[in-house]
Amino acid sequence: MAFLKRLGWYLVGLSIGLIFLVFILKKKTGEGGLDFCYLPNCRVLKDMRSKHITFTESLPEAYRDTLLIQSFLKDGDVDFGKSDTKSEPCKTYVISREHEGQEWELTAKNCKEEVLVEQLNALD
């Protein structure tokens, strides 16, 4: 009987702990589901999504679509090998994503106050 009593108290404590954990995680994520950005790719894209997007003059007018750029910043993959993360004052990132059945590559500078989109190229 002592084992069953200990097991009961263990399960009571475990259930109380799980309830607290659920409330804490809901509070942390703002009730919008789990969105943990601890990996470098996710952190860079989340930081870039939170800033104002501007375009360089050399970027063609057809590619100056903020919805297209936002899709890169939401579902893209940062290529840290091609990116220049040490440059000052703005870090340069190369983000790749498949769009309409073709692989695309976006080059953007992540500055303190804004994201400056430099190039958008289709890869062969």
Side-chain angles (χ1 to χ4, degrees):
M1 189 67 175
F3 173 74
L4 290 177
K5 200 177 223 184
R6 283 186 295 185
L7 181 64
W9 284 112
Y10 171 77
L11 292 176
V12 167
L14 182 67
S15 62
I16 291 172
L18 289 175
I19 290 171
F20 280 125
L21 184 65
V22 166
F23 283 122
I24 289 170
L25 288 179
K26 279 190 178 181
K27 183 93 169 166
K28 183 176 181 177
T29 61
E31 303 277 334
L34 295 176
D35 185 28
F36 294 110
C37 276
Y38 295 120
L39 297 176
N41 188 63
C42 184
R43 291 177 67 169
V44 167
L45 293 178
K46 185 175 182 181
D47 178 51
M48 292 174 83
R49 278 193 306 266
S50 68
K51 298 177 183 175
H52 179 70
I53 298 173
T54 57
F55 303 98
T56 60
E57 295 297 322
S58 63
L59 190 68
E61 191 67 34
Y63 296 144
R64 295 182 185 207
D65 181 12
T66 55
L67 292 177
L68 176 66
I69 304 304
Q70 285 292 340
S71 72
F72 272 88
L73 298 180
K74 185 174 186 278
D75 300 322
D77 293 319
V78 179
D79 187 352
F80 288 101
K82 292 181 182 178
S83 300
D84 184 14
T85 60
K86 305 285 185 202
S87 62
E88 290 292 329
C90 302
K91 298 175 181 174
T92 304
Y93 291 102
V94 177
I95 304 167
S96 61
R97 179 182 187 275
E98 186 175 322
H99 180 69
E100 296 178 356
Q102 190 172 12
E103 190 71 24
W104 290 78
E105 195 171 75
L106 172 77
T107 304
K109 286 190 179 279
N110 188 9
C111 301
K112 218 174 201 182
E113 301 293 325
E114 68 181 358
V115 174
L116 181 64
V117 177
E118 293 182 327
Q119 288 181 331
L120 184 61
N121 300 323
L123 300 177
D124 295 329

